[in-house]
Amino acid sequence: MPPTTLTKPSPKNGAKGAAPEADAAEFNPFTGFAPFADMWESGMRRWWNLTRHVMGIDRAPVGQTPRDAVWSNGKAVLYRYRSESPTVRPPLLLVMSLVSRSFILDLQPGNSFIERLVAEGFDVFLLDWGVPDEEEANNTLETYCDELLPEAVAKVNQMGGHNGVTVFGYCYGGLLSLLYAAGHPDDPIRNLVVMATPVDFTKMPAAMTGVGEGGIDPAHLMDHTGNVPAEAVRASFTLLTPTSDLSTVMDFWEHLDDDKFLSSYQAMTSWTRNHIPFPGATMIQTVEMFNEGNGFVTGDLVLGGRKLDLADITAPFLNVIAERDHIVPPESTYGLDELVGSDDATEMRLPAGHVGLIVGNGARKRSIPSMIGWMLEHSDVES
Amino acid sequence: MAKQWREIYDEWEKAVAPGLQQFTASDGFRDFMAASAKVTSALTVEFERASRRWLHFWNLPAATDVRKLRQQVAAVDRELKGLKNLVFEVVAAAPDEVAPATNGKAASVPSRATDSKPAAKKTAAKKPAAKKSAAKTTAPDKAPKSDRSAAEQPAAL
């Protein structure tokens, strides 16, 4: 029964035998119905939020920072974020993973890595690989690291006034950035930053490395397009924390009357539940080079017929590690600063998860300022 | 009361999650997944073969036929892109001598003094910087359309 002042015993008359007149005298019609009103309001809001979530009404928008597409090749698109007057040089190129959507870097106003970078004066570019289909099924690591990335970097460099480029790779995008930088030492890379990037594949979770020799044959994962379907990609992440989906639903139900929570929930789930297919040929190459060969650690990296060496990366280098990362565990990323040839190589360990590096309160207060601080130190800042 | 069911769930999750994670990371589970993927793949192939035979019997195209066509189109598209890049490189390497003609074959370009018409070709020859990047013009928050400027697009393509 809901609490109400109507049944509260009067201290004057005691619990028993309290005169109805006395109780009635204590009931305040202006505040007495407040608990009922609160319950009613909360209940109605829950039903409304549930209805609009299920019906897809007024869903939380993502990727709101204004931008322009400035280059494309196939499905890969290079975006430049609008900025009144960028004060930081060189421009910053964000390289996204192949299996997840890029709007995680620009989730929502007030909770956006890119928005923050633009506000700090960076000239921000984002390389979005798009959603592959049959056309991209034969894309290899060479396609990304020897064709698309060099073209995108050249474009950014040209648009940024030939000051070089800070390349910033996230997750698998970091892996691509490392291969690209090692294979193109003469390209105008001013700084290289990789974040939550797998290096030692022997220390990766079994669900991420179960494909290959002695495990799942990559060919058995391909769908009719020749790519690994998005559902399979998502399943591999779900297997890392099997109860996480259920916990997310519980969070949703618990905070259903909170409009702000619902907005964040919709934005995050639209990312975590919408992966993109992994190009088949790249998948096979990744399995051979990294799952089976552990290429970064053994040094057995061959791209386009030539041997790569991480020691050829001489630009200032930052390796950002999330200490609570369950997708790319920190132990699989330690020591990368010693593998590259940069004299100025830094390893930054942050108390966050894989996504928490760039999304949420922790990111806003700790991770993002730390990364921005390093990049500002290695850039030219106009006053 | 509202929190009680959550506490019960959290307790259950705390008890169950580590075991589940251990199970999904085990060799046995990996073997099961490998076998499952193999069987699913084999069944899909068999089903497709049977349905294709049936559809072909009635002279109808099967999904695999459409898939093959799409893959062929993708291959042709890739080849075309490669050729396009090659043409850009040729044009950039010899700007005053060779430019692509409208019939797809390379043709010699008249000297600039006498040539008054194909301004686009001349501009293309003058700007080798944009040769490889296949740059496209901007559209706010949209994938760029193929409205490449004359300076960057040889007339033949």
Side-chain angles (χ1 to χ4, degrees):
Chain A
M1 188 176 174
T4 164
T5 51
L6 279 171
T7 56
K8 190 179 175 185
S10 160
K12 192 165 62 178
N13 299 320
K16 288 179 184 176
E21 294 81 5
D23 277 346
E26 281 185 8
F27 178 72
N28 184 338
F30 294 104
T31 58
F33 290 109
F36 293 110
D38 287 348
M39 281 176 65
W40 172 258
E41 191 187 342
S42 169
M44 288 306 287
R45 185 170 287 125
R46 286 176 75 86
W47 278 110
W48 168 237
N49 283 343
L50 183 64
T51 305
R52 71 188 177 102
H53 179 71
V54 171
M55 303 292 284
I57 303 165
D58 194 22
R59 288 192 82 86
V62 291
Q64 293 291 288
T65 309
R67 63 182 183 175
D68 301 298
V70 293
W71 169 91
S72 77
N73 188 338
K75 293 196 178 64
V77 181
L78 180 68
Y79 294 100
R80 185 184 202 176
Y81 285 84
R82 291 182 200 158
S83 172
E84 294 275 317
S85 52
T87 54
V88 181
R89 296 277 176 241
L92 175 63
L93 172 63
L94 303 172
V95 182
M96 197 48 203
S97 167
L98 286 176
V99 293
S100 49
R101 295 183 189 268
S102 61
F103 68 77
I104 190 67
L105 299 172
D106 183 26
L107 195 62
Q108 287 184 297
N111 190 14
S112 160
F113 181 42
I114 287 174
E115 183 189 53
R116 184 76 173 269
L117 289 167
V118 172
E120 291 285 342
F122 286 89
D123 188 6
V124 183
F125 292 76
L126 169 70
L127 182 54
D128 186 329
W129 303 112
V131 181
D133 56 23
E134 286 92 340
E135 198 180 346
E136 283 74 29
N138 290 321
N139 279 6
T140 58
L141 287 170
E142 285 84 353
T143 312
Y144 297 104
C145 303
D146 286 346
E147 292 174 28
L148 298 174
L149 257 169
E151 286 180 23
V153 167
K155 184 70 186 173
V156 174
N157 188 37
Q158 178 206 331
M159 295 187 79
H162 298 280
N163 289 305
V165 178
T166 295
V167 178
F168 190 118
Y170 178 37
C171 191
Y172 197 90
L175 185 145
L176 296 176
S177 303
L178 283 170
L179 291 176
Y180 156 66
H184 299 262
D186 297 329
D187 275 19
I189 304 172
R190 176 88 170 265
N191 305 300
L192 177 61
V193 182
V194 295
M195 181 170 72
T197 295
V199 178
D200 186 349
F201 277 68
T202 59
K203 289 170 182 157
M204 287 287 281
M208 309 301 287
T209 55
V211 183
E213 205 176 347
I216 302 171
D217 184 341
H220 293 153
L221 288 177
M222 312 283 178
D223 66 3
H224 63 279
T225 64
N227 299 312
V228 178
E231 297 77 36
V233 173
R234 188 178 169 229
S236 69
F237 288 113
T238 306
L239 286 175
L240 295 172
T241 48
T243 54
S244 62
D245 276 1
L246 189 55
S247 296
T248 310
V249 173
M250 293 295 173
D251 288 339
F252 169 72
W253 190 251
E254 188 179 359
H255 301 287
L256 194 53
D257 56 349
D258 183 344
D259 293 348
K260 204 174 167 190
F261 172 85
L262 185 68
S263 172
S264 305
Y265 173 86
Q266 287 181 337
M268 267 314 290
T269 50
S270 67
W271 185 74
T272 55
R273 293 178 182 173
N274 283 294
H275 286 281
I276 53 180
F278 196 10
T282 309
M283 169 71 175
I284 290 171
Q285 215 174 353
T286 304
V287 167
E288 286 171 358
M289 198 185 291
F290 297 108
N291 283 16
E292 295 170 358
N294 202 18
F296 282 138
V297 176
T298 60
D300 191 14
L301 295 168
V302 178
L303 207 64
R306 63 195 199 284
K307 196 165 166 51
L308 302 188
D309 190 349
L310 290 181
D312 290 334
I313 299 174
T314 53
F317 178 79
L318 174 65
N319 180 25
V320 182
I321 298 171
E323 289 194 310
R324 294 198 297 268
D325 195 336
H326 69 288
I327 296 172
V328 180
E331 54 270 24
S332 72
T333 62
Y334 291 151
L336 181 57
D337 53 318
E338 288 165 15
L339 295 174
V340 298
S342 315
D343 292 332
D344 181 358
T346 308
E347 188 177 76
M348 185 182 283
R349 300 182 186 187
L350 296 167
H354 192 76
V355 183
L357 280 171
I358 45 169
V359 170
N361 285 332
R364 194 163 55 240
K365 289 174 187 164
R366 284 189 303 270
S367 312
I368 295 176
S370 303
M371 290 186 274
I372 286 178
W374 187 93
M375 288 191 285
L376 287 175
E377 275 176 26
H378 292 78
S379 304
D380 306 321
V381 184
E382 294 166 16
S383 53
Chain B
M1 184 65 194
K3 298 284 179 189
Q4 207 170 1
W5 64 267
R6 185 62 207 240
E7 281 168 12
I8 292 167
Y9 170 78
D10 287 343
E11 286 298 318
W12 173 84
E13 203 253 349
K14 207 182 285 179
V16 167
L20 269 176
Q21 280 176 33
Q22 214 171 350
F23 172 66
T24 54
S26 66
D27 288 346
F29 184 76
R30 190 182 63 174
D31 293 344
F32 167 75
M33 290 300 287
S36 167
K38 194 174 178 180
V39 170
T40 308
S41 178
L43 284 175
T44 307
V45 168
E46 279 307 313
F47 178 77
E48 280 183 353
R49 188 177 296 159
S51 59
R52 188 171 58 240
R53 276 185 193 154
W54 176 249
L55 287 164
H56 284 180
F57 176 78
W58 296 102
N59 204 22
L60 290 169
T64 44
D65 300 320
V66 177
R67 188 186 313 158
K68 274 180 196 164
L69 274 175
R70 291 189 68 176
Q71 283 171 343
Q72 280 172 5
V73 170
V76 170
D77 194 42
R78 269 196 304 277
E79 208 166 326
L80 192 64
K81 271 181 198 159
L83 284 170
K84 203 188 279 183
N85 286 341
L86 195 66
V87 171
F88 288 155
E89 283 171 15
V90 169
V91 169
D96 290 332
E97 293 163 17
V98 182
T102 47
N103 62 359
K105 291 176 184 173
S108 62
V109 176
S111 68
R112 287 181 189 171
T114 55
D115 179 27
S116 58
K117 214 174 177 183
K121 287 179 189 171
K122 276 168 52 180
T123 320
K126 278 181 194 171
K127 293 192 174 181
K131 59 176 171 106
K132 270 178 75 179
S133 59
K136 295 183 180 179
T137 50
T138 64
D141 208 6
K142 283 178 183 172
K145 295 170 187 170
S146 55
D147 53 351
R148 189 179 298 154
S149 67
E152 293 160 339
Q153 191 172 28
L157 298 171

